[in-house]
Amino acid sequence: MKEIPYSERPYEKCERFGVQALTEAELLAVLLRTGVEGESVLSLAHKLLCVNGTEDVLSLYDWNKESLMKIKGIGRIKAIQILCLLEFARRLSKAEALPKLCFETAKSIADYYMHDMRYLKQEHLKLLLLDTKIKLIGEKDMFVGTKDASLVSPRELFIEALQKQASSVILLHNHPSGDPTPSKEDILVTKRIQAAGKMIGIELLDHIIIGNNCYISFHEKKII
C-alpha cells in the first residue's frame, strides 16, 4: 500500500482509530493488500464495490471467480480470497442465527436462511422436511427458475416428503427483486400444494418468501 499516503493507509488508520473507523473500501483494501501499476489498492477496492456508479458493499455478491479475474489487478489468488471472504460472512450469519432457529417461528427460519438466499439471481425453491415434533429431518432444493417464476408440482414435493417420512413441510423461496410480496402465482401454487398435502396427511406449515433482508410468511399473513 505504499502508493497510498501514509496517513490514509488502512493498516495505519486501523491501528490509530480501530477497525470500526475503516470504510468498506478500506477493509477490502486490507484484504487485497496490493494494487496494480497505475492504480492503488484502495482505488481497486472502490471499483469492486461500485455498481452502476453507486458504491455498495453488497455488490461483492455480484462477482464470481471468472468476472473478478477480468479486473486488472485481480488474479486467481485475490479472486479466491474475495470469494472465501463472502462465504465466511455467510457462515457467520448462519452461525449467529442458529441458536434462535425454531421451525415453528417464521422469523427464525427467515433469519437462518436469509444470507443463503437473499443474493441469488434466480428463484430457488427449498423444501424443509419436518418430523412429528417439528424438527428438521432434511431439506432439498426443489427448483431453480427464472427471475420471474418458480414452478414445482405438488407431486414432486410430496414424493420427497414421503420418502423421508416427513409429517409436515415448509416451503422457502426467494424473490431476486428483493421484494418478498407474493405473486398471484405464488399464492395459487401454495394453495394447491396445501390441498394436496391434506389429502395424503402431510401438512404445509408455511411458505416463506425471502427478499432483501426481509421476508413474508404465508402463515403469518393468514394466506394459508
Side-chain angles (χ1 to χ4, degrees), residues 101-103 105-113 128 170 172 208:
L101 181 57
C102 170
F103 289 94
T105 307
K107 184 180 185 306
S108 74
I109 298 170
D111 286 345
Y112 184 73
Y113 289 98
L128 306 182
I170 293 173
L172 191 68
I208 300 168

Side-chain angles (χ1 to χ4, degrees), residues 88-101:
F88 191 65
R90 185 189 71 83
R91 295 189 190 187
L92 278 175
S93 177
K94 291 192 75 171
E96 184 179 23
L98 182 59
K100 302 175 184 177
L101 181 57

Side-chain angles (χ1 to χ4, degrees), residues 132-184:
T132 55
K133 296 181 180 179
I134 317 184
K135 300 295 182 182
L136 186 70
I137 56 175
E139 63 178 67
K140 184 172 182 179
D141 291 321
M142 298 299 299
F143 182 85
V144 178
T146 67
K147 283 189 174 184
D148 303 313
S150 177
L151 300 173
V152 66
S153 73
R155 180 175 178 274
E156 292 177 79
L157 293 174
F158 289 113
I159 286 176
E160 188 69 27
L162 288 167
Q163 287 176 341
K164 296 293 194 299
Q165 297 184 328
S167 295
S168 57
V169 297
I170 293 173
L171 296 177
L172 191 68
H173 92 272
N174 65 301
H175 277 181
S177 67
D179 179 1
T181 302
S183 65
K184 289 182 180 179

Side-chain angles (χ1 to χ4, degrees), residues 41-223:
V41 65
L42 196 54
S43 174
L44 184 60
H46 281 294
K47 183 182 293 184
L48 291 173
L49 294 173
C50 193
V51 174
N52 298 322
T54 302
E55 196 164 294
D56 182 0
V57 67
L58 296 180
S59 66
L60 284 178
Y61 286 96
D62 292 331
W63 298 99
N64 57 34
K65 182 183 173 185
E66 290 70 28
S67 60
L68 283 167
M69 290 177 64
K70 291 179 181 178
I71 302 295
K72 186 180 179 182
I74 303 293
R76 182 177 65 88
I77 298 301
K78 285 183 178 178
I80 290 173
Q81 287 175 328
I82 292 168
L83 295 177
C84 286
L85 171 69
L86 296 175
E87 177 61 16
F88 191 65
R90 185 189 71 83
R91 295 189 190 187
L92 278 175
S93 177
K94 291 192 75 171
E96 184 179 23
L98 182 59
K100 302 175 184 177
L101 181 57
C102 170
F103 289 94
E104 297 180 73
T105 307
K107 184 180 185 306
S108 74
I109 298 170
D111 286 345
Y112 184 73
Y113 289 98
M114 181 66 66
H115 210 75
D116 283 344
M117 302 186 74
R118 66 185 287 200
Y119 306 112
L120 297 173
K121 301 305 179 186
Q122 290 183 301
E123 286 198 6
H124 288 61
L125 178 68
K126 189 182 291 290
L127 177 67
L128 306 182
L129 304 159
L130 307 168
D131 64 13
T132 55
K133 296 181 180 179
I134 317 184
K135 300 295 182 182
L136 186 70
I137 56 175
E139 63 178 67
K140 184 172 182 179
D141 291 321
M142 298 299 299
F143 182 85
V144 178
T146 67
K147 283 189 174 184
D148 303 313
S150 177
L151 300 173
V152 66
S153 73
R155 180 175 178 274
E156 292 177 79
L157 293 174
F158 289 113
I159 286 176
E160 188 69 27
L162 288 167
Q163 287 176 341
K164 296 293 194 299
Q165 297 184 328
S167 295
S168 57
V169 297
I170 293 173
L171 296 177
L172 191 68
H173 92 272
N174 65 301
H175 277 181
S177 67
D179 179 1
T181 302
S183 65
K184 289 182 180 179
E185 183 178 86
D186 290 332
I187 295 171
L188 288 173
V189 169
T190 302
K191 288 184 178 294
R192 193 162 71 240
I193 291 170
Q194 182 186 34
K198 285 180 179 179
M199 291 179 65
I200 60 175
I202 299 178
E203 184 181 4
L204 174 62
L205 296 180
D206 205 349
H207 183 175
I208 300 168
I209 301 179
I210 300 292
N212 186 12
N213 207 31
C214 53
Y215 76 94
I216 279 181
S217 158
F218 281 44
H219 178 70
E220 289 180 348
K221 295 293 184 182
K222 303 188 186 305
I223 298 173

